[in-house]
Amino acid sequence: KNEVEQSPQNLTAQEGEFITINCSYSVGISALHWLQQHPGGGIVSLFMLSSGKKKHGRLIATINIQEKHSSLHITASHPRDSAVYICAVRKENTDKLIFGTGTRLQVFP
Amino acid sequence: DTGVSQDPRHKITKRGQNVTFRCDPISEHNRLYWYRQTLGQGPEFLTYFQNEAQLEKSRLLSDRFSAERPKGSFSTLEIQRTEQGDSAMYLCASSLGLVLETQYFGPGTRLLVL
């Protein structure tokens, strides 16, 4: 079993829909990252969380440390949000990241 | 553009050949990470440096792989005697090395071993 699990693996939405991507992990962590990867490979960091909730524009990320679960929400989705969204955790007492397999999001006009 | 650059962006090679990739991190970043990503999967940790010191290596990094960061600035990742299973995207990231901070990723080098 992977230490970081994401769901769903694939997600299709109509423009304007509210989107939720989930991430569960099974190890102790010091931080959780949400990353965005566009075709061609470039990865951009969206959020880093150690507790609570963060918001940036239409994106909201939450984390529940006790339940070892995080969610990424996109409000008013747009076709330019189409990308792979990856959850990654930084294990306690280490500096390396462990990644989920990603959620491929397609938003249609 | 995150400020992290990688070269080359694409590499096609024949099985058995050696390849070398370069990563230039953001200049003030003292941490540098290498990851590998195969199609449809998330990235996997390979190794990381604190300045010029290689602090951790994954078990994925076989004897055919070697990474260096000789002056604590740019880093190279060499794969000797490439195999078809080495075909992947090789990603580099850098950070300041603080406990809670973002890693900045380069665009990656896509390797295809024929």
Side-chain angles (χ1 to χ4, degrees), chain B residues 32-97:
Chain B
L32 187 148
Y33 306 81
W34 284 101
Y35 300 95
R36 180 174 70 185
Q37 185 178 26
T38 53
L39 209 57
Q41 300 297 313
E44 297 172 292
F45 169 81
L46 292 178
T47 188
Y48 87 96
F49 293 84
Q50 168 84 20
N51 298 314
E52 64 274 13
Q54 188 172 20
L55 295 188
E56 189 172 347
K57 290 171 60 173
S58 164
R59 284 168 290 183
L60 293 173
L61 218 62
S62 75
D63 291 345
R64 297 184 297 105
F65 288 71
S66 62
E68 293 184 341
R69 194 181 183 199
K71 296 182 180 178
S73 56
F74 72 91
S75 175
T76 58
L77 177 68
E78 181 182 17
I79 310 173
Q80 296 182 324
R81 305 181 303 282
T82 51
E83 301 172 358
Q84 287 184 322
D86 297 330
S87 296
M89 174 77 85
Y90 290 84
L91 293 160
C92 172
S94 72
S95 72
L96 283 167

Side-chain angles (χ1 to χ4, degrees), chain A residues 29-94:
Chain A
I29 69 169
S30 56
L32 182 143
H33 298 251
W34 280 103
L35 309 164
Q36 181 191 57
Q37 187 171 31
H38 280 285
I43 292 178
V44 175
S45 179
L46 299 174
F47 294 104
M48 186 193 61
L49 296 161
S50 56
S51 65
K53 176 180 174 177
K54 286 190 176 180
K55 184 176 190 292
H56 181 70
R58 295 180 296 106
L59 302 178
I60 303 167
T62 63
I63 187 168
N64 185 318
I65 296 294
Q66 286 73 32
E67 294 186 3
K68 295 189 174 179
H69 182 269
S70 176
S71 293
L72 176 68
H73 306 285
I74 305 175
T75 61
S77 59
H78 190 276
R80 65 175 175 266
D81 297 326
S82 298
V84 175
Y85 292 83
I86 303 172
C87 171
V89 301
R90 183 170 174 167
K91 286 176 75 169
E92 287 176 330
N93 304 315
T94 181

